[in-house]
Amino acid sequence: MKVLVATEKPFAAAAVNGIREIVEGAGHELALLEKYTEKEQLLAAVADADALIVRSDKVTADVVAAAKQLKIVVRAGAGYDNLDLPSCTERGIVAMNTPGQNSNAVAELALGLMIYMSRNQFTPGTGCELSGKTIGIQGFGNIGQLVAKKAVGLGMNVLILAPQPAEKHQGWNTVPTIEELYSRCNFVSVNIPATPETKGMIGYDLLSKMPKGGCLINTARKEIICEEGLDKALAERADLKYATDIAPVAYAELKEKYAKQIFATPKKQGAETAEANINAGLAAASQIVNYFATGCTKFQVNK
Ligand code: 3PG
């Protein structure tokens, strides 16, 4: 079988080597399409692929249609909003993700962004410490749980937005509503997927509930934030802050207006560590090899 790794933002070399060992070790062929710039390159490369590994690369309906032999696509990462699942399902293509494999890298970045914003984006001036502050966790999955544990290590109080499966937040303090989470927390870390239900859900109403100096940290997806509401909240309160790993559509304009209040990484780098690349990349390769060998669909997201 031909396994194609198509990554506009490539994996670390060690991850690619590991993927190759797994794929070729199982008797399959590996093809690489890295740092591609045009969709046509992806459309051409998928034509004879039996399996596909991607990161945030968009596997849209036309990509699925061009991949005539495709049997399985694995998003090496958590969020699979870049996969057109109905198209995959229609063709009987198994779609998977690799949950948890890059969570630590994302959680560490969330903490880094909190420190960066608390220290005025490393510009002169008096900042504040995280110790003794309260952080709210919106989304208590693999990433949210790690952010919470690390925040405790920094001396922070942690509040989790319920409801969550009870066993997950045992021992943690919870709040029943999202409004309470935002009104009680100095920081909120957003760790939820972009779905029709979550898109645009954080806007003016929630942001303006945050206490003085409140800071929202978004390492999830830009679509979760209502940009109009963000703009209004930042304009109304110069003490509010927003740091994100996924720049808003109107970032240049927002940065111009609210330089001290807003920060976005130049390119999404939550999962940009060698460790996360290796964990997610190797997991994706193993899942494909395992699927071809045994039919295992453990991480299938289009069941
Ligand atoms: C994920 O959903 O796993 C993260 O957003 C990582 O995305 P990336 O692989 O494009 O860095």
Side-chain angles (χ1 to χ4, degrees):
M1 298 282 181
K2 183 167 180 177
V3 180
L4 172 69
V5 176
T7 46
E8 175 269 325
K9 188 174 65 176
F11 288 118
V16 177
N17 291 340
I19 292 170
R20 185 179 296 284
E21 267 174 37
I22 292 169
V23 169
E24 294 181 350
H28 304 295
E29 183 192 341
L30 185 78
L32 286 180
L33 175 70
E34 294 182 314
K35 292 188 189 172
Y36 62 93
T37 50
E38 308 302 326
K39 190 178 199 178
E40 283 62 38
Q41 295 171 272
L42 179 60
L43 291 173
V46 296
D48 60 350
D50 297 286
L52 176 61
I53 296 175
V54 292
R55 295 185 63 177
S56 289
D57 309 78
K58 290 190 176 22
V59 182
T60 48
D62 52 345
V63 174
V64 174
K68 301 238 178 301
Q69 300 186 33
L70 195 65
K71 294 151 190 73
I72 176 168
V73 53
V74 182
R75 192 282 191 244
Y80 47 89
D81 47 319
N82 54 322
L83 306 183
D84 185 328
L85 294 186
S87 297
C88 290
T89 306
E90 201 178 303
R91 282 267 314 282
I93 297 166
V94 171
M96 294 185 183
N97 67 346
T98 64
Q101 299 292 348
N102 59 22
S103 305
N104 188 67
V106 179
E108 286 189 8
L109 184 74
L111 296 183
L113 288 173
M114 284 203 289
I115 293 174
Y116 186 61
M117 294 310 277
S118 305
R119 298 303 180 97
N120 305 315
Q121 302 183 42
F122 298 162
T123 59
T126 307
C128 73
E129 298 179 18
L130 302 187
S131 182
K133 305 294 186 303
T134 301
I135 178 172
I137 308 289
Q138 184 181 352
F140 202 47
N142 291 312
I143 297 167
Q145 291 175 57
L146 284 166
V147 173
K149 284 182 194 151
K150 292 172 195 298
V152 169
L154 290 170
M156 300 185 82
N157 308 307
V158 178
L159 289 178
I160 313 294
L161 175 61
Q164 298 284 344
E167 70 277 6
K168 270 212 257 170
H169 59 70
Q170 225 168 25
W172 293 99
N173 292 320
T174 61
V175 292
T177 65
I178 192 165
E179 288 77 16
E180 193 171 334
L181 189 81
Y182 276 75
S183 60
R184 287 182 58 187
C185 293
N186 309 101
F187 295 87
V188 172
S189 175
V190 183
N191 322 288
I192 56 175
T195 65
E197 293 74 40
T198 64
K199 282 183 182 168
M201 74 176 291
I202 301 168
Y204 176 80
D205 288 348
L206 287 175
L207 286 166
S208 52
K209 282 192 169 42
M210 293 192 86
K212 190 168 168 39
C215 180
L216 178 65
I217 304 292
N218 179 10
T219 52
R221 291 290 182 269
K222 67 170 182 279
E223 292 83 359
I224 296 164
I225 309 297
C226 164
E227 285 192 25
E228 217 174 286
L230 172 68
D231 191 347
K232 190 170 169 207
L234 295 179
E236 210 167 277
R237 282 183 44 192
D239 63 295
L240 279 182
K241 291 178 180 163
Y242 178 58
T244 181
D245 191 28
I246 325 90
V249 176
Y251 183 54
E253 193 187 311
L254 292 167
K255 187 72 186 167
E256 170 113 24
K257 289 199 273 188
Y258 317 112
K260 291 186 175 163
Q261 294 168 266
I262 191 167
F263 171 76
T265 53
K267 187 156 182 148
K268 187 166 65 158
Q269 49 185 244
E272 279 299 80
T273 64
E275 293 89 340
N277 278 194
I278 290 167
N279 292 342
L282 271 57
S286 299
Q287 287 170 213
I288 287 171
V289 164
N290 204 9
Y291 174 69
F292 286 142
T294 69
C296 175
T297 53
K298 184 166 175 200
F299 297 105
Q300 186 172 357
V301 292
N302 64 338
K303 269 184 183 164

